[in-house]
Amino acid sequence: MKKLIGLFVFLLFVGTQIVTAQSKQITGTVTSADDGLGMPGVSVIVKGTTIGASTDIDGKYSLEASASDVLVYSFVGMVSQEITVGSQTVINVVLETESIGMDEVVVTALGVTREKKSLGYAVSEVGGDEITRSNNVNLVNSIGSKVAGVQVNSSSGTAGGSSFITIRGMASLTGNNQPLFVVDGVPIDNSMNASGNPDNGRNNLTDGVAYSNRAIDLNPDDIASMSVLKGGAATALYGLRAANGVVLVTTKSGKKTKGRKVDVTFSSTVSIDKISQMPDMQYKYAQGLSGDYAGADGPWWKMFSWGPEVSSLEYDGDTSYKWDPRGRLVPKGTGNGMAAKTFDKEDFFDTGVTYNNSVGISGGSEFASFYLSASYNKSNGVVPENDYEKKTFTLSSDFKLSEKLSLGAKANYINSGGTRIQQGSNLSGVMLGLMRSATTFDNAAGYEFEDGSQRNYRGGGGYDNPYWTANNSQLKDNVDRLIGNINLKYEFSKNLTLSYRVGIDTYTDKRKSHFAIGSRAVPDGQVQEDEHFQRDINSDLILSYTKKLSDKFNFSAVAGHNMFSSYYQQVYVQGDKLTIPKFYHTSNAASLLVRESVTEKRTAAWYGDLGLDWNNMIYFRVTGRNEWSTSLPEGENSFFYPSTSLGIVLSEISALKDLTWLNFAKFRTSYAIIANDASPYGTFTTYDQAAYGDGSTNGVTFPFGGQPGFAVGDGLGNGELKPEKMKSFEIGFELSLFQNRLSIDAAYYNNQNEDLILWVPLSGTSGYTDRLMNAGEMENKGIELLVSGTPIKTSDFSWDVMVNFTKNKNEVLKLADGVDNVGLGGFTGSNMRAVQGKPYGSVYGSDWVRNDAGRVVVDAYGMPELSQVEVELGSALPEWTMGITNSFTYKGITLSALLDIKHGGIMWNGTKGVLQYFGTHGVTENRGEQKVFNAVTADGAENTTAITLDENWYTGLGNGWYGPSSQFIEDAGWTRLKEVSLSYEFPKSLLGDSFVKSLSLSFTGKNLWLDTPYTGVDPETSLMGASNAQGLDYFNMPGTKSYIFGLRMTF
Amino acid sequence: MKRYNFKFLILSLVVVLATSCEKWIDPAMNESPNSPADVPMSLILPGAEAGIAYSAGGELSRYSNYWMQQISGVQSHASGHEIYILLESDMDNLWKWYTYAGQLMDLKRIMDKSVEEGMESPHYSAVAKILTAYKLGVSTDVWNDIPYEDAFQGETTGQLTAAYHTQEKVYEIMNTLLDEAITELGSTESVFSPGSDDFIYGGDLDMWKKAAYALKARFAIHLSERNGDAAYTAALAAIPNAFASNADDLQFTFGTATPENAPLFQYDEQRPGYIGGLGAKMIELLKNGGDTDPRLAIYAKPLADGSFVGHPAGDPLDEASMVGDYFAKADATVMLMSYSELKFIEAEANFQLGNLPEAATAYNDAVKASLAKYGVSNETWEAANAAATAGTISIDMIMTAKYIATFLQDETFTDWRRYDNIIGLSIAKGANESEIPRRFPYPTNERIYNSENMPEYGSITNHVWWDVN
């Protein structure tokens, strides 16, 4: 009996052992802590082995494991869990989302989502919520100040105006410096096309209207997230166009889910805009010259604002005087007693109103998901008649055709356009006419007489009455755009996926512009029909493979093939000398000018990306891309460029792993070589349609007298053109401390740009004016710092601070042999140049005669002298920029403020230079003021002789035309309260069982406070729009401040 | 089975992509569709003529017209030019677009094409040479030493700069070009000949021959201070074969259609008020001490009260008579060299050689031709003012009348320098220089990109080679 019991016990014991050594079937469901729903794609692995499974669409999994095994449940973005099997056969797991800052995922090149910690280079994310909260019509404006290393300059306070964005400085001398915009894996066009006679070249940007950059077509409410890829390694896979960085936009899509689920989001905002700052004007002296009053009917050469004091004049009440309903202005005592009035220039501007409404519907079932949205944006600008309208429709859908095959399609149709007003250096420009107007002339009292002639302060001559410009000289544009893509994905296995994506971006931009008969810029009237057509097609075939080489080693590889084609066509028709008033049609023109232009290019590339990571600690990546382009010479049109990056997560090292105050520490470094393509048609010298204009006049064009004519092209082509090259090095670290209460992300980068393609000016005696060469070298070095933290955090209240700081130093190292500067645009007397040894975009102009010590030299009368040599006056590029965001959250209320600081960078205040000549600028109010120039006399002694700053001075050397432009170079740095927003999210308890799932109200103020030494309009402005020549202000439109009220609902 | 299919699929995809790659990257796509690969001479000549004329009636003569006080610049940049502020940056467009990289390059292209096998066209070569000689003439007269033979090599040899010739050498080159052109015009065989593409003479080779001789006469007399009597003799030798009447004038007429408008018209339209009117000296001479020159109403527009007022150089803004419609209209004619000028050359040459009766006759013909050109011939006035005799004729009369006749032409500046301000212009008020300048500066473009060849020229008051005194 005892033996039996012993045997039984023994058997039990052994049996138990045997039971535990055996593997068994383990099943279970993995759900998400957020919504309790099953999570597909979660990896369940037996620790220490390569045995594992993935959860299915319902979150269910099943695998073989033994009791002593430990199962590891992991999914990107969620906190991993490890559970010992033990006696369980059903193990259900709830996964929590990883707290932001450590295992955050970002979208990287080619749309591949990676854990941020695995990257060896810099990527910044701007979330969809932040973008919609910013309420910008132009997407580009949502990026600036939020991302270190990015500088955005919006060109005007006009509805539909463009914004210029650079990442880590300018990398190309004459080519495109803006980053590539990629939407859902498909690059899209972000050009800014100017209108006007193409023969006038860059002059079409100094006068004309404010154009849009095409990224404005995107609906910000469609965006789920935006990644800004900054370093060379981040963008190497995109090839030639990504040397300036990439803005990766991911739009919203539906979510596949069990059952059927539909979400609707509706948002509506109303924005009120008012102009921000204007130059200081004088209202003490009336129209006239040398103290004599001269009205609009006076001699034209007396029509300045150098007249007598306004207080010494009164009206005579003559109702037959057509220039002023109140009558002529006569000396006090000789009229009807009604005191003379002055008219505030700021009254010209309206209050602008912008409405934006958008609705988005997303939903999904088990096998399909979709996202549908429609939005309507209508902006009325602060300049009368300036408006902009945008309608967008998006439909994107995803279908799971089978276990392994899925198909997605997306179409985004946009119709946008507006009425744009003439600006800049344009006799018909609105600011030019407004600001030069004499103090005592009331522009608002009428701009047109019954006979159609113009009513302005110059008696119909000079410059247009701004109301005339706003009503009679408009450009209307209408853009129809389609951005679409189809993508297919086939999963051979969990480790091997083949995907194909083909996308199209095509638009037609039709513009009609006119100048009424009697407009000062074109007195005979003019009508322009300008049509731009663009079609870009992009195709990517990608094979991706992952393999777990061992317990700690993971390997991933991507191989791809890309084909891209771009076709652009412009047809421009200009009809001059109109007869029938207000009939703006080419049939009304006495002479017609037609120009057409086509630009076409194709590229193809093979690319590959290999990654190796060890133990969640060391991440190593290598990429290579070989590209062919039609814009390079035959036989020399292929080039290869590699990149490599390394990230080391120091906080995973056992010694550091357990530190409670150090949550995350990573070191990263990368090196990449990227190429930037040449523009098409540079390899040959062409014959050009003959046209001759000089700096002062438009000139003549062919066909002339019924005869066509050609001239040998002025640009010498280069049959040995190579792509531009950028060697980019980056090193940085990321730290997260004190339970993620403090995070620091710092980077240093050094980008060397070589073989930069530029039109190198030549001596005209060569027979040509320029030659296209790979000659330039430029470098950008800088640091980017992002510090964010949560100083206070309680259960109900938190205070978050985010500071980003960028310092970029750009230097043009070399241009070409014998060339030390290249013009970028501007005027004689103030122009932008790339100069050897100086930062890109240096402003050049005239200055006073100075002695060797740099002191201004005055003559015996204390007067300085204009020097005939152009010198460098400064750089428009900032020394550093910083953005500080403070946000306070209490229960459902969020208050946040973004302070944007720009330090350094000058601007040429050309407006002031001219307004001093006309006597309308505020500085001329103190007429007769004595001033001793800070200078020395010819023999070196300190100057003590005063000169009189009177009319003679301001119409002589004291203005921008006869005097040096150095007088008008000003510091254009600023500190501004860029955004202040207060939002309230209704608590779920209040919404209860109603169909409304969430409701939030918000108020945002933009640009409410600006502190700047610049005396002109808001210095965040650019005369030439999104072009390389920033830093000029010549009658630019004023900036605006906005008050935005918004409502957002999901149900 | 699955794996086999997948490998095959990948392989075929790769093959398809690799082969399509070649056709996709088509080098022909980089040939600009906006430009012809080659252009015949008949389409290059019209552009060259229009460019020469636009410049002659535009920037080239405008600066010297201000200095010669024939017109007055009163606003913005123009008022600076009036007081002799002329910067090297003002010269860039003129040098590049209107001289070297512009018309001279195009004319050289015509000359090169005219000797290509199977395309031998001495007629085109001749016209190109005459226009080149004209252009070199007006260029060297303001810039002194200039390049020619070493230039235009950008595309052929890749040489991007050019050596300068002395002005003396340039004059030799100009004369050689004209002599060669005269011979070529006599050729009976020319595959192509200018026709309707020739805006100036419509392809009439006889007219071109006269123009060549006229230019020879002009260039000969320019060297009066250097060559003395030889200059005058050479001029007189060329004159018989040159222009015979106003109908032979070397001129270019613009059009009323906007892209064809004349340079002065465009300047007034697009830079209104920059030109303040005629110079005071000009108006004074046209008033002719009471016996008003019939050309006054052509040259100037009366003020509202019917009077004619000139603007003294350097004076502040004030009312003055604007340039008359004959010169300021949209379809104005820009004069490159006139029959009237030729007659004045004849008068001057004869006078200096002591042939007073011939000088007087030529003078009278010159003045009458000038009036006839504008349709204001007036026997009464001519009887008093175009009736010089061997006894009354003087160099003063000749050069003053020539000053009036060459209104708005660049030749006025050359004559003024040769006779050292014989008409007595006083320096502009507030002048930026100590005397009226004698040449243009070299452009910034040359100082920066051709520095090893560009000669030092001192300042704009320096004399050019033939301007000895």
Side-chain angles (χ1 to χ4, degrees):
Chain A
M1 207 36 180
K2 258 189 200 150
K3 253 186 191 161
L4 261 167
I5 292 170
L7 186 66
F8 181 66
V9 167
F10 172 74
L11 278 169
L12 265 172
F13 185 70
V14 168
T16 320
Q17 291 273 56
I18 290 168
V19 164
T20 50
Q22 267 176 353
S23 60
K24 54 188 172 171
Q25 182 85 347
I26 310 292
T27 60
T29 311
V30 181
T31 52
S32 150
D34 282 342
D35 53 17
L37 296 175
M39 292 185 61
V42 177
S43 142
V44 187
I45 307 238
V46 178
K47 189 166 182 174
T49 73
T50 48
I51 299 169
S54 266
T55 54
D56 65 11
I57 193 172
D58 295 325
K60 290 196 170 43
Y61 71 95
S62 153
L63 51 60
E64 298 274 314
S66 48
S68 57
D69 283 336
V70 174
L71 296 178
V72 181
Y73 297 80
S74 60
F75 186 77
V76 152
M78 312 294 270
V79 182
S80 299
Q81 289 198 35
E82 294 185 4
I83 299 179
T84 311
V85 173
S87 56
Q88 302 169 91
T89 52
V90 175
I91 304 175
N92 295 324
V93 175
V94 179
L95 292 182
E96 305 251 346
T97 318
E98 194 74 65
S99 56
I100 293 164
M102 253 172 54
D103 277 344
E104 191 182 345
V105 282
V106 287
V107 182
T108 63
L110 304 177
V112 179
T113 313
R114 293 197 199 283
E115 285 188 303
K116 191 162 181 188
K117 74 179 193 200
S118 71
L119 302 176
Y121 48 77
V123 176
S124 294
E125 281 235 312
V126 183
D129 289 340
E130 264 181 275
I131 295 170
T132 43
R133 244 212 312 277
S134 304
N135 279 307
N136 284 306
V137 176
N138 193 332
L139 176 66
V140 175
N141 290 338
S142 305
I143 310 174
S145 327
K146 298 201 174 89
V147 178
V150 169
Q151 199 200 348
V152 174
N153 196 6
S154 85
S155 58
S156 64
T158 56
S162 64
S163 294
F164 183 67
I165 171 175
T166 55
I167 299 178
R168 291 193 175 164
M170 310 271 207
S172 178
L173 288 171
T174 53
N176 181 28
N177 269 309
Q178 298 201 84
L180 179 68
F181 277 74
V182 175
V183 176
D184 295 329
V186 179
I188 63 157
D189 181 81
N190 185 30
S191 1
M192 183 188 79
N193 296 317
S195 272
N197 190 338
D199 295 337
N200 291 340
R202 276 204 289 259
N203 286 337
N204 283 335
L205 292 175
T206 52
D207 55 44
V209 303
Y211 305 101
S212 302
N213 58 300
R214 292 265 60 90
I216 201 179
D217 292 327
L218 298 176
N219 176 8
D221 287 323
D222 279 346
I223 296 176
S225 72
M226 204 151 67
S227 294
V228 180
L229 307 185
K230 298 183 274 194
T235 61
L237 287 172
Y238 278 109
L240 295 172
R241 295 184 291 159
N244 303 318
V246 176
V247 176
L248 264 190
V249 175
T250 310
T251 59
K252 293 179 181 158
S253 56
K255 245 197 304 211
K256 289 191 199 63
T257 178
K258 181 123 181 163
R260 229 165 274 201
K261 192 165 146 53
V262 174
D263 288 312
V264 180
T265 308
F266 171 72
S267 89
S268 177
T269 61
V270 175
S271 164
I272 312 241
D273 302 308
K274 292 186 112 47
I275 56 168
S276 53
Q277 70 178 35
M278 284 275 280
D280 190 28
M281 307 294 283
Q282 69 90 1
Y283 294 104
K284 189 169 168 191
Y285 294 91
Q287 182 165 350
L289 186 69
S290 307
D292 291 335
Y293 175 75
D297 57 337
W300 62 265
W301 43 273
K302 271 190 168 180
M303 289 173 193
F304 291 74
S305 289
W306 297 111
E309 284 190 41
V310 174
S311 57
S312 73
L313 299 171
E314 63 186 20
Y315 292 102
D316 71 359
D318 181 357
T319 50
S320 72
Y321 181 61
K322 71 176 188 175
W323 298 103
D324 194 326
R326 302 164 194 87
R328 259 176 223 84
L329 277 176
V330 291
K332 228 185 178 96
T334 62
N336 67 1
M338 182 163 138
K341 291 164 75 99
T342 57
F343 301 94
D344 208 332
K345 305 278 190 300
E346 294 187 19
D347 290 342
F348 172 72
F349 296 99
D350 288 339
T351 301
V353 184
T354 301
Y355 301 97
N356 192 63
N357 290 296
S358 81
V359 62
I361 306 173
S362 72
S365 70
E366 198 172 327
F367 298 108
S369 66
F370 76 93
Y371 173 76
L372 173 69
S373 84
S375 80
Y376 178 69
N377 175 296
K378 176 87 201 271
S379 312
N380 286 311
V382 290
V383 174
E385 302 299 310
N386 173 222
D387 62 40
Y388 180 74
E389 203 179 354
K390 177 167 79 176
K391 300 170 198 131
T392 72
F393 302 94
T394 308
L395 173 61
S396 86
S397 55
D398 262 294
F399 301 96
K400 206 164 168 59
L401 298 176
S402 79
E403 258 312 302
K404 295 181 184 286
L405 183 63
S406 54
L407 165 72
K410 184 189 118 165
N412 181 206
Y413 168 73
I414 303 125
N415 176 278
S416 68
T419 306
R420 300 172 196 263
I421 309 298
Q422 299 288 331
Q423 61 174 31
S425 166
N426 181 342
L427 297 181
S428 290
V430 91
M431 283 293 278
L432 196 136
L434 175 67
M435 307 297 273
R436 295 185 191 190
S437 285
T439 46
T440 44
F441 187 79
D442 184 8
N443 282 313
Y447 58 87
E448 201 175 288
F449 293 115
E450 263 176 49
D451 63 357
S453 64
Q454 194 179 153
R455 178 183 169 272
N456 65 23
Y457 83 98
R458 289 273 289 251
Y463 316 104
D464 282 343
N465 180 326
Y467 292 96
W468 171 284
T469 303
N471 287 282
N472 280 342
S473 309
Q474 299 174 342
L475 183 145
K476 288 191 199 283
D477 67 317
N478 196 318
V479 175
D480 277 308
R481 185 174 190 181
L482 176 68
I483 301 174
N485 72 66
I486 294 176
N487 60 78
L488 275 165
K489 193 154 121 174
Y490 186 77
E491 259 176 72
F492 291 99
S493 71
K494 194 166 43 90
N495 296 340
L496 185 63
T497 311
L498 179 69
S499 66
Y500 180 70
R501 178 168 44 225
V502 65
I504 185 169
D505 175 12
T506 178
Y507 64 81
T508 316
D509 182 351
K510 288 191 213 261
R511 303 175 187 182
K512 195 170 175 128
S513 143
H514 61 259
F515 288 90
I517 300 169
S519 298
R520 295 307 309 146
V522 202
D524 289 326
Q526 189 183 84
V527 61
Q528 291 179 8
E529 291 276 348
D530 189 18
E531 191 166 308
H532 302 256
F533 171 73
Q534 174 96 35
R535 184 181 56 226
D536 287 349
I537 300 180
N538 189 72
S539 126
D540 272 296
L541 177 70
I542 301 172
L543 188 65
S544 42
Y545 178 67
T546 57
K547 186 159 175 66
K548 210 171 163 57
L549 296 175
S550 80
D551 185 23
K552 298 193 183 200
F553 263 109
N554 285 313
F555 169 74
S556 70
V558 168
H561 181 263
N562 168 271
M563 290 165 81
F564 174 76
S565 110
S566 166
Y567 177 82
Y568 169 80
Q569 178 179 33
Q570 181 192 10
V571 178
Y572 174 81
V573 176
Q574 178 180 304
D576 288 295
K577 292 202 172 65
L578 309 180
T579 309
I580 304 169
K582 304 285 170 80
F583 179 52
Y584 301 115
H585 194 268
T586 47
S587 59
N588 193 18
S591 67
L592 290 170
L593 173 97
V594 178
R595 287 285 179 270
E596 68 160 295
S597 170
V598 164
T599 309
E600 212 176 336
K601 181 170 118 167
R602 284 185 190 160
T603 64
W606 287 101
Y607 52 89
D609 173 311
L610 299 173
L612 205 59
D613 66 87
W614 180 75
N615 203 16
N616 287 335
M617 197 158 85
I618 299 185
Y619 298 87
F620 176 72
R621 193 141 229 115
V622 162
T623 73
R625 183 168 168 129
N626 194 77
E627 190 136 7
W628 289 263
S629 163
T630 55
S631 70
L632 294 169
E634 195 177 347
E636 284 291 323
N637 62 4
S638 144
F639 36 90
F640 174 77
Y641 38 96
S643 89
T644 177
S645 67
L646 175 71
I648 304 176
V649 182
L650 298 164
S651 49
E652 290 283 317
I653 297 173
S654 44
L656 300 173
K657 201 164 176 154
D658 298 322
L659 289 176
T660 45
W661 55 267
L662 180 67
N663 303 103
F664 183 75
K666 179 177 127 197
F667 164 80
R668 58 170 201 255
T669 181
S670 68
Y671 182 77
I673 301 179
I674 320 179
N676 200 357
D677 209 357
S679 294
Y681 316 138
T683 50
F684 302 92
T685 308
T686 56
Y687 281 96
D688 298 332
Q689 194 167 8
Y692 301 100
D694 52 34
S696 312
T697 57
N698 293 336
V700 295
T701 56
F702 276 71
F704 187 103
Q707 172 72 41
F710 287 88
V712 176
D714 286 336
L716 191 56
N718 185 345
E720 281 154 27
L721 215 51
K722 293 184 291 193
E724 300 185 338
K725 211 186 290 188
M726 172 156 91
K727 293 180 178 159
S728 155
F729 169 72
E730 184 186 327
I731 191 168
F733 69 86
E734 289 157 49
L735 277 180
S736 202
L737 309 166
F738 310 124
Q739 319 316 314
N740 298 328
R741 289 282 289 271
L742 177 65
S743 306
I744 302 171
D745 185 329
Y748 165 78
Y749 61 86
N750 183 320
N751 293 343
Q752 299 289 322
N753 297 291
E754 301 170 354
D755 285 336
L756 291 178
I757 295 174
L758 59 144
W759 281 102
V760 175
L762 302 173
S763 159
T765 58
S766 64
Y768 303 90
T769 55
D770 308 87
R771 178 167 190 240
L772 197 60
M773 285 172 67
N774 291 96
E777 276 171 31
M778 190 155 67
E779 84 177 358
N780 282 291
K781 289 193 286 208
I783 52 174
E784 287 163 6
L785 193 60
L786 175 65
V787 178
S788 53
T790 313
I792 301 179
K793 190 177 175 79
T794 69
S795 56
D796 283 337
F797 177 76
S798 74
W799 171 29
D800 294 290
V801 181
M802 184 181 86
V803 176
N804 72 61
F805 174 84
T806 308
K807 187 171 162 67
N808 182 62
K809 187 158 145 41
N810 172 301
E811 188 182 327
V812 176
L813 299 173
K814 176 171 158 325
L815 287 169
D817 287 330
V819 179
D820 68 355
N821 79 84
V822 171
L824 302 171
F827 309 90
T828 317
S830 310
N831 48 79
M832 307 292 294
R833 297 202 204 160
V835 177
Q836 185 164 351
K838 304 268 181 211
Y840 184 90
S842 301
V843 177
Y844 266 68
S846 44
D847 193 9
W848 301 116
V849 170
R850 289 177 190 264
N851 65 11
D852 289 335
R855 298 293 304 282
V856 175
V857 179
V858 291
D859 63 12
Y861 303 103
M863 288 282 273
E865 197 188 320
L866 168 67
S867 164
Q868 302 211 350
V869 180
E870 274 199 354
V871 293
E872 188 209 356
L873 300 173
S875 167
L877 301 179
E879 275 173 46
W880 54 261
T881 58
M882 175 155 43
I884 304 173
T885 313
N886 277 293
S887 24
F888 306 91
T889 318
Y890 176 69
K891 296 197 179 168
I893 303 174
T894 308
L895 171 68
S896 87
L898 169 60
L899 203 65
D900 174 30
I901 305 172
K902 173 181 154 212
H903 182 87
I906 53 101
M907 175 143 326
W908 171 65
N909 193 345
T911 313
K912 180 162 184 259
V914 170
L915 296 184
Q916 284 183 197
Y917 176 78
F918 285 99
T920 55
H921 198 279
V923 302
T924 63
E925 185 166 324
N926 192 1
R927 298 177 183 186
E929 180 187 353
Q930 297 287 308
K931 179 183 169 139
V932 178
F933 248 86
N934 176 1
V936 292
T937 56
D939 50 13
E942 206 59 35
N943 175 37
T944 51
T945 318
I947 56 169
T948 315
L949 298 184
D950 60 357
E951 178 185 322
N952 282 328
W953 166 255
Y954 287 116
T955 56
L957 289 171
N959 65 67
W961 282 329
Y962 309 151
S965 41
S966 59
Q967 298 176 77
F968 306 107
I969 298 292
E970 297 182 30
D971 180 354
W974 65 65
T975 302
R976 72 173 75 225
L977 186 58
K978 190 158 178 153
E979 256 174 55
V980 153
S981 79
L982 178 63
S983 67
Y984 178 60
E985 177 92 37
F986 280 79
K988 296 211 184 332
S989 54
L990 220 63
L991 300 169
D993 285 329
S994 69
F995 65 95
V996 178
K997 283 192 212 129
S998 79
L999 175 65
S1000 68
L1001 294 173
S1002 67
F1003 165 75
T1004 309
K1006 299 239 283 269
N1007 236 3
L1008 296 184
W1009 175 73
L1010 170 64
D1011 177 30
T1012 174
Y1014 187 70
T1015 61
V1017 295
D1018 184 337
E1020 188 178 353
T1021 181
S1022 171
L1023 174 62
M1024 294 168 78
S1027 80
N1028 288 336
Q1030 307 279 313
L1032 303 175
D1033 173 13
Y1034 193 76
F1035 296 103
N1036 295 7
M1037 303 284 211
T1040 52
K1041 49 184 159 191
S1042 321
Y1043 306 88
I1044 307 167
F1045 302 90
L1047 172 120
R1048 210 180 167 71
M1049 240 180 1
T1050 57
F1051 45 89
Chain B
M1 267 309 269
K2 262 197 188 140
R3 292 192 83 78
Y4 179 72
N5 278 346
F6 137 68
K7 275 184 187 153
F8 180 71
L9 182 68
I10 293 300
L11 198 64
S12 49
L13 266 169
V14 168
V15 168
V16 164
L17 288 168
T19 46
S20 65
C21 218
E22 274 162 36
K23 286 174 251 152
W24 182 255
I25 304 295
D26 182 3
M29 187 164 272
N30 211 36
E31 286 164 19
S32 173
N34 306 311
S35 156
D38 195 22
V39 161
M41 293 177 284
S42 60
L43 291 185
I44 305 179
L45 183 64
E49 289 186 354
I52 286 176
Y54 197 83
S55 150
E59 282 191 332
L60 182 62
S61 57
R62 201 157 49 234
Y63 301 133
S64 54
N65 288 339
Y66 293 138
W67 295 352
M68 293 297 96
Q69 297 175 20
Q70 291 194 332
I71 51 170
S72 189
V74 296
Q75 273 200 77
S76 186
H77 301 115
S79 62
H81 298 142
E82 167 132 311
I83 53 171
Y84 321 129
I85 295 177
L86 194 62
L87 305 174
E88 49 175 23
S89 53
D90 288 327
M91 298 285 101
D92 280 324
N93 291 346
L94 193 53
W95 180 278
K96 289 188 302 185
W97 297 345
Y98 287 102
T99 316
Y100 288 93
Q103 284 83 65
L104 288 180
M105 179 72 213
D106 290 339
L107 292 170
K108 176 92 178 27
R109 185 55 60 91
I110 294 178
M111 287 190 242
D112 289 341
K113 278 174 169 297
S114 71
V115 295
E116 269 175 36
E117 212 180 301
M119 306 244 286
E120 294 85 352
S121 305
H123 294 168
Y124 264 107
S125 170
V127 171
K129 284 181 180 164
I130 294 171
L131 289 171
T132 301
Y134 164 82
K135 193 68 187 168
L136 285 175
V138 297
S139 302
T140 184
D141 286 344
V142 292
W143 280 311
N144 199 25
D145 297 345
I146 54 172
Y148 182 66
E149 283 174 355
D150 199 30
F152 316 116
Q153 299 198 49
E155 204 175 356
T156 48
T157 64
Q159 182 181 305
L160 301 177
T161 55
Y164 280 61
H165 301 298
T166 58
Q167 187 175 60
E168 189 179 357
K169 174 79 180 159
V170 176
Y171 266 82
E172 276 177 40
I173 294 172
M174 280 149 53
N175 275 307
T176 311
L177 284 171
L178 289 173
D179 290 334
E180 286 175 6
I182 290 166
T183 315
E184 284 172 338
L185 284 170
S187 285
T188 45
E189 278 178 29
S190 187
V191 176
F192 297 108
S193 297
S196 60
D197 50 306
D198 172 18
F199 289 118
I200 297 176
Y201 289 134
D204 186 330
L205 302 176
D206 285 326
M207 301 266 262
W208 279 109
K209 198 179 263 188
K210 290 179 193 172
Y213 279 107
L215 288 173
K216 277 184 80 66
R218 175 197 262 195
F219 296 150
I221 206 145
H222 280 181
L223 306 185
S224 57
E225 291 190 80
R226 285 276 167 191
N227 295 347
D229 282 358
Y232 304 122
T233 319
L236 288 175
I239 289 174
N241 289 318
F243 301 140
S245 70
N246 281 342
D248 296 335
D249 286 349
L250 185 69
Q251 61 186 26
F252 184 100
T253 304
F254 287 87
T256 47
T258 304
E260 301 175 15
N261 291 158
L264 182 58
F265 173 82
Q266 291 206 31
Y267 195 76
D268 281 339
E269 189 193 34
Q270 294 160 36
R271 301 284 155 190
Y274 278 35
I275 296 182
L278 269 72
K281 184 73 183 180
M282 194 71 210
I283 294 283
E284 182 196 318
L285 289 172
L286 287 168
K287 283 185 176 167
N288 201 25
D291 186 9
T292 310
D293 191 321
R295 292 171 289 183
L296 176 59
I298 300 290
Y299 282 20
K301 289 192 185 111
L303 299 183
D305 60 5
S307 66
F308 291 91
V309 175
H311 187 266
D315 266 18
L317 275 179
D318 205 347
E319 270 204 288
S321 299
M322 304 304 283
V323 178
D325 275 335
Y326 179 90
F327 297 95
K329 64 184 175 184
D331 55 343
T333 300
V334 168
M335 183 60 64
L336 302 178
M337 182 170 177
S338 66
Y339 169 69
S340 173
E341 178 191 332
L342 189 75
K343 284 286 153 190
F344 278 112
I345 292 174
E346 190 178 341
E348 179 195 338
N350 273 316
F351 182 88
Q352 300 290 22
L353 288 176
N355 308 329
L356 300 181
E358 289 87 343
T361 317
Y363 168 84
N364 297 335
D365 286 343
V367 176
K368 287 179 194 163
S370 179
L371 266 75
K373 181 80 186 175
Y374 306 118
V376 290
S377 295
N378 183 318
E379 278 187 27
T380 328
W381 191 85
E382 286 166 19
N385 296 285
T389 62
T392 57
I393 192 72
S394 71
I395 193 66
D396 209 50
M397 282 169 70
I398 296 172
M399 298 318 291
T400 308
K402 194 176 181 193
Y403 173 85
I404 302 174
T406 56
F407 180 59
L408 298 184
Q409 295 174 39
D410 35 53
E411 189 64 7
T412 317
F413 186 43
T414 304
D415 291 327
W416 178 87
R417 287 179 284 172
R418 288 195 300 118
Y419 280 92
D420 233 7
N421 195 12
I422 194 173
I423 54 164
L425 295 177
S426 31
I427 193 167
K429 233 176 271 179
N432 203 46
E433 300 281 343
S434 52
E435 44 175 290
I436 300 178
R438 299 255 173 171
R439 60 162 290 157
F440 289 176
Y442 282 121
T444 330
N445 179 254
E446 284 295 289
R447 181 171 57 76
I448 296 178
Y449 303 117
N450 196 7
S451 49
E452 69 266 24
N453 287 316
M454 189 191 94
E456 281 302 318
Y457 67 92
S459 89
I460 55 178
T461 50
N462 280 19
H463 294 215
V464 301
W465 170 75
W466 51 247
D467 185 13
V468 178
N469 297 320

